[in-house]
Amino acid sequence: MSTNQSTLSQLIAALGLDTDNEWPHVVRERLVAYGLLGLYVFVIWFPIYFIFITSIKPSGAVLDIPISFLPTQPTVSNYVEIFQNRPFELYTLNSLIVASTTTIICVTLGTVTGYSFSRYDFVGNKALLLSIVGARMIPPIALIVPFFTIMSNPPLIGGLTGSLYDTRIALILTYTFFNLPFAVWIMKNYFDGVPESLDEQARIDGCSRWEGFVKIILPMAKPGIAATAILAFIFSWNEFVFALVLTSSEQAQTLPIAVSLFVADDFVDWAHLAAGGMIAALPGILFGLFFQQYIVSGLTQGAVKE
Amino acid sequence: MAHVELNELVKEFDDVTAVDGISLDIPDESFTVLVGPSGCGKTTTLRLIAGLERATDGEIRIGDEVVNDQRAYERDIAMVFQNYALYPHKTVRENMRFGLEQHDTAEDIIQDRVSEAAELLQIEELLERRPAELSGGQQQRVALGRAIVRDPAVFLMDEPLSNLDAKLRVQMRAELNKLHDELSTTTVYVTHDQVEAMTLADQIAVMDNGQIQQVGAPTHVYSNPQNMFVAGFLGSPSMNFLEGTLGRDADGKLQLDFGTDTHDVPAEFADELEGYVGERVVLGIRPENISLNQDGIAANVHPATVQVVEPQGEKTVLELDLDTDQTIKAAVDPDTTVEMDDKVNLRFDRDSLQYFDPQTGESLTYEAASEQKVTA
């Protein structure tokens, strides 16, 4: 009993709860809150941890029972082997090219378009914005056949370039289609939160509208741009279904497809799948951790008028 | 430096006429204040002068040039916005430099101008900070500084003090006055605050419904309002309006009849009001021109009952019910000892009376009053 008491008070101290200055019920509520949050964090991170330790187990030890949750014989051989036995550098390159190009296109077009929707009062302004965002509400899976058909036989440029099937361009076009509406929407809301008197001050200071946008408004929009970029990048990096349908070889296949290839008809190569999964997950996690500060401010900017 | 001239200026937004054919002469080096309630068109007028809106009709001249088709940056104006519109990602120095850089000003001139303006506004130690690190009053100074470095022909100010707290506003008001004395740059200033308008302006233009109701020196407009709108807008508490029927007393002199009480019209207004006998006429009297006559009945007093007593320090404002059921406010000496429900007699200062036509709102005695003030 007394040891339990002291463990509890140690825990309370470790969580920075001040029992001298807080009501007992506040301390209890905090403990419950910490408990729930801890559980949630565990649920979130456990699968990632499990993939990680699977990826550093020797192939033969993956299915051992009882499951070992701590690495006993850590090895990097799975990582080395996926690059030796499969073109993982190509998959990674494909993922990088597709995701970054999509991101650049979405940020560039989304920023300019969002600014126009925010500042210019043209005929059909609202209807057009709704239709752009509304188009994105269609479930992507409903569009998979049309996309496959179009990319296999591009109606206009087909005669010049041939089929876009199994090219990175097909993926870039598809991902841009899905992400640009969000980019426009986020940036429009972001610019709505930037007072128009700044545009006007820039005009009085001698800027054209374009100069004012580039020199004054755009530098202020960095959080919005970061939020847009991260959403577009992570979507493109993680996307699986369209990549599966629109590509068939390592010249365009991305990491999610590469990882799925470890699943054969009668056998799953868990150790290599886990190593591939870690490689696929890492950039997203790092990107997310690094930019998460911008996501919140970028998405909520303009929600509250000061 | 330049004078600004507006001729029959019109601005329509879809089906709203924000500015409805105003003409105004803003003399060189003057401090002109456009004042009026919100939605009266004063800010739109300023934005038309700035070149942020295009005029639907009419003419804007800055100096001798018609500037209707010039862009904002071609007009040689600088503007201070209500929210200051400081560039948040630039330091104070960069904010002040930006306009000059855009106009390809030589580096040594930029540096001179920025340090001069910073010294004038006492913001030298703030130059490397960003707007978010400044207090409201400091941001206000930077916004002014950014306008001053441009050395423009005209300053345009859109309610620049309204985001400051009351004490700071009074202080900045005095500084704006001083600044204008020093720089003598023609200034057009928009506000809804009539105290600000009175204290800053050497010319005041009272606006309502997209039109200018009256232009003139602040004290002149205050004492000689051309219509009931101007009379009611300037002054706090605002002017009392008492409507009655114009008739004659036993001696044939003009008398305003409120029903249970009457008011003798001073002889000097007899000529102007002669034509209105038998018609409804409004008497206007400012609260500060009403005094209590507690020493019994004399001529020209109006019995009333005290309803509310509001001591305000330098004066006490009384709300009273006249025996005619009209409500009236009086600003009296703070030493006055009256209480709720006290019966008092009010005396109107006979030099400060105004008469209006209740139909049109126009002053019936405007010219007579001005002439009288001028000769006196």
Side-chain angles (χ1 to χ4, degrees):
Chain A
M1 189 66 199
S2 66
T3 45
N4 276 352
Q5 282 293 339
S6 72
T7 329
L8 186 63
S9 47
Q10 274 172 3
L11 181 67
I12 288 173
L15 293 174
L17 295 173
D18 184 350
T19 46
D20 293 337
N21 285 314
E22 295 285 7
W23 302 100
H25 74 272
V26 171
V27 173
R28 280 198 300 275
E29 283 163 6
R30 293 275 169 83
L31 281 175
V32 171
Y34 277 117
L36 289 173
L37 278 173
L39 186 67
Y40 183 58
V41 169
F42 176 77
V43 168
I44 297 281
W45 280 97
F46 182 75
I48 294 167
Y49 174 72
F50 194 72
I51 289 179
F52 172 69
I53 79 152
T54 304
S55 75
I56 58 172
K57 285 177 185 173
S59 274
V62 167
L63 296 174
D64 283 356
I65 304 286
I67 300 167
S68 65
F69 287 102
L70 293 171
T72 45
Q73 311 155 269
T75 168
V76 292
S77 61
N78 295 324
Y79 288 90
V80 176
E81 280 158 24
I82 60 171
F83 279 96
Q84 279 172 350
N85 303 337
R86 307 223 177 172
F88 247 75
E89 69 285 357
L90 283 182
Y91 298 136
T92 310
L93 185 69
N94 288 339
S95 273
L96 278 175
I97 290 176
V98 168
S100 7
T101 312
T102 304
T103 304
I104 291 167
I105 295 174
C106 287
V107 164
T108 311
L109 295 181
T111 306
V112 179
T113 315
Y115 182 75
S116 305
F117 274 118
S118 171
R119 291 296 193 263
Y120 290 87
D121 188 20
F122 51 88
V123 177
N125 181 330
K126 279 180 188 152
L128 203 55
L129 182 64
L130 266 182
S131 74
I132 287 179
V133 178
R136 183 58 186 82
M137 300 303 159
I138 300 167
I141 200 78
L143 300 172
I144 205 153
V145 173
F147 265 92
F148 177 78
T149 314
I150 291 170
M151 293 308 171
S152 306
N153 311 288
L156 285 176
I157 50 177
L160 295 173
T161 63
S163 169
L164 290 176
Y165 178 73
D166 199 25
T167 61
R168 295 176 196 134
I169 295 174
L171 292 183
I172 292 168
L173 288 175
T174 309
Y175 296 167
T176 301
F177 172 85
F178 285 117
N179 281 296
L180 192 52
F182 280 141
V184 171
W185 184 254
I186 294 170
M187 291 315 297
K188 190 252 176 201
N189 281 322
Y190 196 85
F191 290 129
D192 281 352
V194 175
E196 212 165 339
S197 56
L198 287 170
D199 302 55
E200 291 170 346
Q201 178 63 46
R203 280 159 67 193
I204 287 172
D205 272 341
C207 295
S208 65
R209 291 204 73 148
W210 175 252
E211 269 183 304
F213 172 65
V214 173
K215 290 186 179 173
I216 300 298
I217 306 299
L218 211 50
M220 293 174 56
K222 279 180 194 157
I225 292 172
T228 305
I230 193 170
L231 291 180
F233 188 90
I234 288 178
F235 174 94
S236 313
W237 185 269
N238 291 341
E239 205 283 330
F240 177 74
V241 175
F242 279 79
L244 184 69
V245 172
L246 297 176
T247 63
S248 59
S249 74
E250 68 268 16
Q251 68 169 329
Q253 281 174 328
T254 51
L255 281 170
I257 307 302
V259 173
S260 77
L261 294 178
F262 289 109
V263 183
D265 284 345
D266 53 353
F267 170 72
V268 179
D269 183 355
W270 287 113
H272 292 105
L273 186 148
M278 281 310 291
I279 291 176
L282 215 52
I285 294 172
L286 294 179
F287 211 74
L289 286 178
F290 185 69
F291 281 107
Q292 51 94 12
Q293 48 181 337
Y294 292 115
I295 299 191
V296 178
S297 67
L299 289 178
T300 55
Q301 170 83 39
V304 179
K305 283 261 182 270
E306 280 182 54
Chain B
M1 314 292 146
H3 75 282
V4 178
E5 208 181 308
L6 310 178
N7 287 323
E8 301 292 325
L9 197 59
V10 176
K11 177 64 186 178
E12 290 167 0
F13 295 105
D14 297 330
D15 36 358
V16 181
T17 304
V19 175
D20 191 6
I22 66 171
S23 297
L24 178 64
D25 195 20
I26 298 162
D28 190 15
E29 302 194 4
S30 79
F31 198 119
T32 296
V33 175
L34 305 178
V35 65
S38 52
C40 72
K42 56 192 191 297
T43 294
T44 307
T45 305
L46 194 75
R47 292 170 59 84
L48 286 165
I49 302 173
L52 295 172
E53 305 282 354
R54 192 169 194 279
T56 310
D57 202 1
E59 196 180 68
I60 305 163
R61 281 171 186 273
I62 296 178
D64 293 323
E65 238 180 314
V66 177
V67 297
N68 285 46
D69 292 325
Q70 288 184 0
R71 297 193 184 195
Y73 65 86
E74 296 171 311
R75 292 192 182 188
D76 199 14
I77 49 110
M79 186 152 166
V80 178
F81 289 87
Q82 182 174 357
N83 62 5
Y84 316 140
L86 299 176
Y87 306 131
H89 59 296
K90 292 182 184 292
T91 62
V92 169
R93 184 190 298 280
E94 288 163 352
N95 263 283
M96 288 167 75
R97 291 175 55 98
F98 186 73
L100 294 172
E101 284 169 359
Q102 284 295 309
H103 283 82
D104 295 324
T105 313
E107 178 62 30
D108 52 333
I109 298 179
I110 296 183
Q111 283 180 9
D112 285 354
R113 294 247 192 105
V114 169
S115 45
E116 272 170 36
E119 196 188 326
L120 186 65
L121 293 162
Q122 295 162 341
I123 52 173
E124 293 130 304
E125 70 280 16
L126 305 178
L127 285 174
E128 307 311 324
R129 297 206 204 159
R130 286 180 204 281
E133 302 166 72
L134 306 179
S135 70
Q138 291 170 330
Q139 292 182 358
Q140 168 71 77
R141 283 164 197 272
V142 176
L144 283 173
R146 187 168 61 175
I148 291 170
V149 293
R150 292 277 310 282
D151 191 21
V154 186
F155 282 142
L156 304 175
M157 303 192 184
D158 185 9
E159 310 225 13
L161 302 186
S162 57
N163 285 10
L164 300 176
D165 64 54
K167 201 170 176 184
L168 203 52
R169 197 179 314 156
V170 174
Q171 187 192 330
M172 283 307 291
R173 211 163 66 196
E175 291 198 26
L176 276 177
N177 251 334
K178 220 173 75 190
L179 209 60
H180 184 252
D181 282 346
E182 256 169 82
L183 301 171
S184 302
T185 307
T186 313
T187 304
V188 187
Y189 185 105
V190 160
T191 182
H192 64 271
D193 181 340
Q194 41 110 0
V195 179
E196 225 168 274
M198 295 290 293
T199 47
L200 285 170
D202 36 52
Q203 171 173 272
I204 187 171
V206 184
M207 289 186 69
D208 188 38
N209 283 328
Q211 290 173 330
I212 291 180
Q213 302 294 323
Q214 189 170 357
V215 183
T219 46
H220 175 81
V221 176
Y222 183 82
S223 340
N224 302 286
Q226 242 169 322
N227 57 45
M228 284 172 75
F229 174 80
V230 176
F233 186 79
L234 295 181
S236 173
S238 55
M239 185 183 273
N240 298 294
F241 295 116
L242 303 171
E243 189 174 331
T245 307
L246 193 63
R248 289 181 198 283
D249 65 6
D251 300 334
K253 288 183 183 152
L254 290 178
Q255 191 179 52
L256 202 51
D257 187 352
F258 301 128
T260 55
D261 191 13
T262 56
H263 155 80
D264 295 331
V265 176
E268 64 260 33
F269 296 128
D271 288 348
E272 282 79 22
L273 295 179
E274 192 63 49
Y276 292 87
V277 172
E279 291 184 35
R280 303 289 285 175
V281 166
V282 170
L283 164 69
I285 175 85
R286 292 199 180 278
E288 67 267 30
N289 297 326
I290 299 176
S291 51
L292 297 187
N293 179 17
Q294 288 164 305
D295 313 328
I297 303 298
N300 285 316
V301 292
H302 304 277
T305 313
V306 177
Q307 294 296 322
V308 181
V309 181
E310 286 179 355
Q312 294 186 352
E314 85 282 12
K315 66 185 175 200
T316 293
V317 175
L318 305 177
E319 194 176 306
L320 309 114
D321 276 356
L322 291 171
D323 285 2
T324 56
D325 279 347
Q326 290 155 313
T327 304
I328 190 168
K329 280 194 172 183
V332 297
D333 194 276
D335 297 334
T336 314
T337 50
V338 287
E339 285 172 24
M340 227 179 101
D341 293 334
D342 279 3
K343 304 274 181 204
V344 293
N345 282 314
L346 302 179
R347 180 182 287 282
F348 298 166
D349 175 3
R350 297 181 64 78
D351 288 337
S352 310
L353 301 173
Q354 313 275 343
Y355 297 90
F356 302 94
D357 180 335
Q359 299 293 317
T360 63
E362 294 300 311
S363 171
L364 302 173
T365 47
Y366 172 64
E367 280 170 74
S370 333
E371 274 166 20
Q372 194 198 11
K373 292 273 154 53
V374 171
T375 49

